[in-house]
Structures are given as C-alpha cells and as structure tokens.
Amino acid sequence: MLRNAFEPWHLILIIAVLVLLFGSKKLPDMARGLGRSMRILKSEAKALKGEGATEAPRPESATGH
C-alpha cells in the first residue's frame, strides 16, 4: 500500500500547497529555521556520542578495588 508513497508529483503538490498556505515570503525563513534546528540537533548528537565514549571506562574504574 505505501510502497510508492512519494512520487515526484506528490512532492510538487506538497510544495504548491505550502506556497499557497504560507506565502513565498515566509518559506525562506521557515527553511532557514529548519536548517538551524538540524545543525543544532547534529551538534548535540555528536556531543552525546562524545560523552558516551568518555564515560564508557568509568564503570570499570569505579569498582573501588
């Protein structure tokens, strides 16, 4: 049923509806905000991975022996 969910004409229709709803002036601002959000999310994910790598040895050294 969802095998061919997004064909090119679906995307064109979605873009057309977005332009009609929000207007051409607000779309660049929305895209810019989305790009900033994605960059923040990416940097936070990298920070979490970095913290996970530095915290991995802790449980072994915290045995108290």
Side-chain angles (χ1 to χ4, degrees):
M1 182 173 121
L2 293 176
R3 188 168 56 185
N4 293 327
F6 288 110
E7 294 180 8
W9 69 272
H10 288 120
L11 296 176
I12 292 170
L13 183 66
I14 291 171
I15 290 171
V17 169
L18 287 175
V19 169
L20 288 174
L21 286 176
F22 297 109
S24 60
K25 295 197 182 244
K26 287 190 178 182
L27 286 177
D29 293 333
M30 290 172 50
R32 192 174 301 116
L34 181 64
R36 286 179 186 156
S37 299
M38 293 302 293
R39 273 182 260 146
I40 290 171
L41 179 65
K42 188 176 179 180
S43 66
E44 292 294 326
K46 283 183 180 179
L48 285 175
K49 284 183 181 179
E51 287 177 7
T54 58
E55 290 180 7
R58 274 190 189 168
E60 296 170 6
S61 62
T63 57
H65 289 283

